[in-house]
Amino acid sequence: MQLLVEGNYLLERFQGKGGWTFVKFPKEIMPSSKAFGMMKVSGTLDNHSFEGKHLMPMGNGFIFLPVAKPIRTKIGKEEGDVVHVNLYQEEIPDQVPQELIDCLKDDPGKFELFEQLSEPEKKQWVEYIYSSDKIEDKSDRIIKLLEALGKN
């Protein structure tokens, strides 16, 4: 995992009923090749670990990380408080992982059909499969890929 941010940041809150509490970062921390919502992050807020969160765009040159009430309660912080943040990028593979190749090869003819897809289509499938942390979701998505290839 790649370290994106380490430092002290202010907890802020969107105004209005139900407004989210968040930590704001300059959008420059985002690798240019990643679309908002596709990059998962993990890290710590004041020594409280979290995983699988998504950075969200603010539309003004900033992105933000929502900080839910259970986390704020655990760290004893609210809007206006400063938190120490360590933020890491969780990678979605940019090449077809060997485990996916093995699954495709286990089903006769599917690897060859997958290889006939365009590069953007392959990338879209890899991002779709590996954007979940749950093994069940990944397995279900691989099955969907195999079924889609079977229809061709």
Side-chain angles (χ1 to χ4, degrees), residues 5-72:
V5 170
E6 181 176 12
N8 294 322
Y9 291 85
L10 183 66
L11 275 176
E12 300 181 51
R13 184 173 174 89
F14 288 116
Q15 296 305 310
K17 184 176 175 134
W20 290 354
T21 302
F22 61 92
V23 178
K24 179 171 71 173
F25 307 101
K27 71 177 181 180
E28 288 76 26
I29 71 164
M30 291 278 292
S32 60
S33 64
K34 296 288 182 184
F36 289 116
M38 285 305 295
M39 184 172 69
K40 285 188 186 178
V41 294
S42 61
T44 59
L45 293 170
D46 283 354
N47 296 321
H48 174 78
S49 296
F50 64 88
E51 295 180 348
K53 302 290 184 189
H54 290 86
L55 295 177
M56 311 276 287
M58 292 185 81
N60 59 357
F62 290 92
I63 55 179
F64 72 96
L65 175 71
V67 182
K69 180 73 173 171
I71 293 175
R72 296 193 315 271

Side-chain angles (χ1 to χ4, degrees), residues 102-113:
D102 293 343
C103 288
L104 290 165
K105 287 183 174 180
D106 278 348
D107 196 337
K110 295 298 190 324
F111 178 72
E112 291 77 11
L113 290 170

Side-chain angles (χ1 to χ4, degrees), residues 1 3 54 58 71 78 89 148:
M1 288 191 283
L3 179 67
H54 290 86
M58 292 185 81
I71 293 175
E78 288 295 336
Q89 176 180 354

Side-chain angles (χ1 to χ4, degrees), residues 51-120:
E51 295 180 348
K53 302 290 184 189
H54 290 86
L55 295 177
M56 311 276 287
M58 292 185 81
N60 59 357
F62 290 92
I63 55 179
F64 72 96
L65 175 71
V67 182
K69 180 73 173 171
I71 293 175
R72 296 193 315 271
T73 300
K74 285 181 183 176
I75 63 175
K77 303 273 179 94
E78 288 295 336
E79 173 188 10
D81 292 329
V82 173
V83 293
H84 187 79
V85 178
N86 287 300
L87 197 63
Y88 297 89
Q89 176 180 354
E90 292 185 12
E91 291 287 339
I92 294 176
D94 56 0
Q95 295 182 351
V96 181
Q98 188 61 47
E99 70 176 356
L100 180 56
I101 292 170
D102 293 343
C103 288
L104 290 165
K105 287 183 174 180
D106 278 348
D107 196 337
K110 295 298 190 324
F111 178 72
E112 291 77 11
L113 290 170
F114 183 78
E115 285 295 295
Q116 292 174 14
L117 296 175
S118 68
E119 288 304 315

